[in-house]
Amino acid sequence: MVTSTRRKRASHDFSKRSFMKAAFYERQGDAVDVLRIGDFPDPLPAPGEVRVKIAFSGLNPSDIKARTGFTGAPMRFPRVIPHQDGSGTIDAVGSGVSEERIGERVWVFKAQTERPFGTAAEYVVLPSCLAVPLGNDASFKTGASIGIPAITAHRCLFADGDLRGGRVLVHGGGGGVGTAAILLAKWAGAWVAATVSNETQADAARNAGADVVIFRHSDDVAQRVLTATGGVGVDRIIDVDIVANVHIDLACLATDGVVTAYSSSRSDATLEIPFRPAMFGGHVFRFVYLYSMSERSIQDAVRDISACISARAYSPTIGQQFPLERIVDAHLAQESGTVVGKILVEIGS
């Protein structure tokens, strides 16, 4: 008798190639000028890889930076299918991967790292470890929203120890990493304040569980934080633009507090840290870049994020959703900086 798993495996005749739809670009530039939709041969999983039938592809700022050449780095491949994050179902495996994984619902991350083809396609192949079980309680939309934001947020939050009973300030609490940081910090038992720019972002931060929401343009951020913490300050700050916020951060930190920065508004930004306040406070400044994180740090993040999802405590805000044919509009929406929540591209069901 053939098992259901083996029936799924046997349903793929790899000797007959078929084609998938995918978005791609062959040069860096503006979305409207370089992004195209075309047919590609269905990819086949190599040893140690899985193939995922993509349901949703999730955009990140790094996808835009790669397409536009923001950092000055040239394209490493002549043709790129963009996007690092996504969700879907494993439908084939390479040698060395258990066939039990076929049919598994997964979220994927770093799909286009060191490879030309990411998740803006009907199928993607990637190392088995980058396809994480999603379970049946989380939607594919949630799965496509995890990836880079959640792993980045986890490293920012937990690189310096346990958070239970701690106090956290999240700058940019309505953004992708910011919202992920609030969700994970609350799951871990921390008190969280978040800065935002407008009411829509405030709603996203509150929905994620922020205890205090601060409007950075109109409120005195440091005063609000100190008042809310009884003058003690916060133990951790997650900063989306440390160059602009360093003085505010120093005013908000408790003794031995840590500031972790994961982004800057400018590629050529230079950070100047006032020495005396930082030294007298015993403060630590940490910097996080997902693409250079250690394997151990990534494994720790995947473990905790999966636990948070299993506890039904991870519910990201979905900002906008586009079909694959409107990939240009999706990228323009991401570039605009006006969409609150994750931007998704729907690929399949």
Side-chain angles (χ1 to χ4, degrees):
M1 178 178 179
V2 179
T3 66
S4 60
T5 297
R6 290 188 181 278
R7 280 198 297 271
K8 290 175 185 174
R9 181 73 167 111
S11 68
H12 297 283
D13 183 356
F14 291 151
S15 66
K16 296 180 180 179
R17 300 303 300 271
S18 56
F19 291 84
M20 67 174 185
K21 290 288 184 184
F24 69 96
Y25 57 90
E26 295 176 323
R27 59 186 176 90
Q28 292 171 321
D30 293 339
V32 68
D33 294 330
V34 302
L35 281 172
R36 300 288 182 267
I37 304 292
D39 292 325
F40 287 71
D42 284 351
L44 304 180
E49 292 184 336
V50 298
R51 184 172 76 180
V52 178
K53 186 178 187 300
I54 294 294
F56 288 93
S57 177
L59 271 77
N60 290 290
S62 60
D63 299 317
I64 304 303
K65 292 174 181 178
R67 184 202 14 101
T68 59
F70 176 80
T71 64
M75 289 177 58
R76 294 184 55 194
F77 306 99
R79 178 177 290 178
V80 170
I81 295 176
H83 303 179
Q84 302 283 356
D85 292 344
S87 62
T89 305
I90 294 176
D91 80 330
V93 299
S95 62
V97 180
S98 171
E99 292 186 7
E100 294 296 323
R101 295 212 69 184
I102 295 176
E104 187 174 79
R105 302 172 80 251
V106 295
W107 57 275
V108 305
F109 66 99
K110 293 181 70 175
Q112 203 250 304
T113 302
E114 306 297 331
R115 287 173 294 278
F117 297 161
T119 64
E122 292 180 305
Y123 295 94
V124 68
V125 297
L126 71 170
S128 178
C129 63
L130 300 183
V132 183
L134 180 61
N136 294 320
D137 292 331
S139 70
F140 281 133
K141 290 184 181 181
T142 292
S145 304
I146 301 169
I148 288 174
I151 294 174
T152 299
H154 182 276
R155 180 62 178 166
C156 290
L157 289 167
F158 298 100
D160 296 279
D162 184 44
L163 277 181
R164 184 164 298 279
R167 299 172 300 273
V168 177
L169 171 63
V170 177
H171 284 299
V177 175
T179 303
I182 297 169
L183 290 165
L184 289 168
K186 294 304 296 181
W187 167 77
W191 176 92
V192 180
T195 66
V196 298
S197 297
N198 54 55
E199 281 291 348
T200 306
Q201 293 178 3
D203 288 341
R206 292 189 191 102
N207 290 339
D211 298 281
V212 173
V213 173
I214 303 168
F215 290 87
R216 67 186 186 91
H217 294 304
S218 58
D219 291 339
D220 184 327
V221 176
Q223 187 58 54
R224 287 287 310 277
V225 168
L226 292 174
T227 298
T229 59
V232 175
V234 294
D235 307 297
R236 310 271 170 83
I237 296 178
I238 315 306
D239 206 327
V240 68
D241 192 357
I242 191 173
V243 174
N245 296 327
V246 63
H247 293 283
I248 295 172
D249 291 345
L250 287 169
C252 291
L253 279 175
T255 301
D256 296 332
V258 180
V259 181
T260 302
Y262 65 90
S263 180
S264 172
S265 59
R266 291 169 34 209
S267 61
D268 61 346
T270 299
L271 174 63
E272 295 184 2
I273 300 173
F275 177 72
R276 282 174 168 273
M279 180 180 69
F280 292 165
H283 302 317
V284 173
F285 288 79
R286 177 181 292 279
F287 301 87
V288 170
Y289 181 59
L290 180 138
Y291 300 100
S292 60
M293 281 174 57
S294 70
E295 186 60 33
R296 175 61 182 273
S297 297
I298 289 176
Q299 289 175 358
D300 289 346
V302 168
R303 177 199 65 220
D304 288 348
I305 292 165
S306 296
C308 183
I309 294 168
S310 296
R312 300 184 180 182
Y314 198 88
S315 53
T317 297
I318 307 301
Q320 282 188 270
Q321 180 179 316
F322 298 87
L324 181 62
E325 290 73 20
R326 292 182 59 196
I327 186 73
V328 170
D329 292 333
H331 274 235
L332 292 176
Q334 181 71 54
E335 286 186 74
S336 74
T338 61
V339 178
V340 176
K342 189 76 166 184
I343 296 172
L344 302 178
V345 175
E346 184 175 8
I347 308 294
S349 58

